[in-house]
Amino acid sequence: MVGAVCSTHRAIAESVSQVILMPINSLLVLSAEFPAPWQTYIVDQGRDLSALGVKVGYVSTRRPAPEYFSQAILARAGGEFQTLFPPTAGDLGYLVLHPVQLVRMLRYLSRAKAGGLRGRVRRLVLIPSAARLIRLAKARNADLVHLHS
């Protein structure tokens, strides 16, 4: 099965492990509005990494609109994915139980200049979703969160 892995994805997996200096056993792939029909490459990449022994999970910023939700892509991805929005009460609880992380997030936001006040408020609203991503990564023992735009 490993022989069927795309050479590009094999090279990515090997170089990531070398740069990070640790094996990647589990990763989360974060994408906007997964599973949409145009995201076949994300599933192909995940399958290739799975063939190399990496446990792959899929996370979406939010569910796509019903007309773009692809059951075919979801089936190819193993039938499951998580979303960051809307956050849950557990995500808010995580922030309460981890005040140091919350302070770090707020400090980062206070230094961000892009978008002015409106940009800061938009990022502030995303803090519970960031907590959700942290919780999902910990729950899956993910060594890496791989972001796709």
Side-chain angles (χ1 to χ4, degrees), residues 84 87-107 109 123-135 138:
L84 297 183
T88 65
D91 304 325
L92 296 173
Y94 179 85
L95 293 169
V96 170
L97 295 174
H98 296 87
V100 172
Q101 285 187 343
L102 177 58
V103 168
R104 286 180 182 162
M105 291 177 188
L106 293 171
R107 189 177 328 141
L109 290 180
R123 287 186 289 276
L124 181 65
V125 172
L126 293 175
I127 285 180
S129 294
R132 181 159 180 73
L133 181 59
I134 292 168
R135 292 180 64 225
K138 286 183 177 192

Side-chain angles (χ1 to χ4, degrees), residues 7-84:
S7 61
T8 301
H9 294 152
R10 180 188 303 276
I12 290 169
E14 290 172 357
S15 66
V16 165
S17 290
Q18 290 171 3
V19 169
I20 297 176
L21 300 177
M22 67 180 208
I24 304 298
N25 298 310
S26 176
L27 69 84
L28 291 179
V29 178
L30 175 61
S31 176
E33 299 185 4
F34 184 84
W38 54 84
Q39 294 175 323
T40 56
Y41 68 96
I42 293 172
V43 176
D44 292 341
Q45 183 181 56
R47 289 172 129 184
D48 286 350
L49 292 170
S50 291
L52 293 171
V54 177
K55 185 177 176 185
V56 178
Y58 298 93
V59 180
S60 179
T61 54
R62 63 183 178 270
R63 287 180 71 90
E67 63 269 20
Y68 296 119
F69 189 94
S70 173
Q71 289 292 343
I73 296 296
L74 183 59
R76 287 180 61 196
E80 104 178 37
F81 74 103
Q82 302 288 327
T83 58
L84 297 183

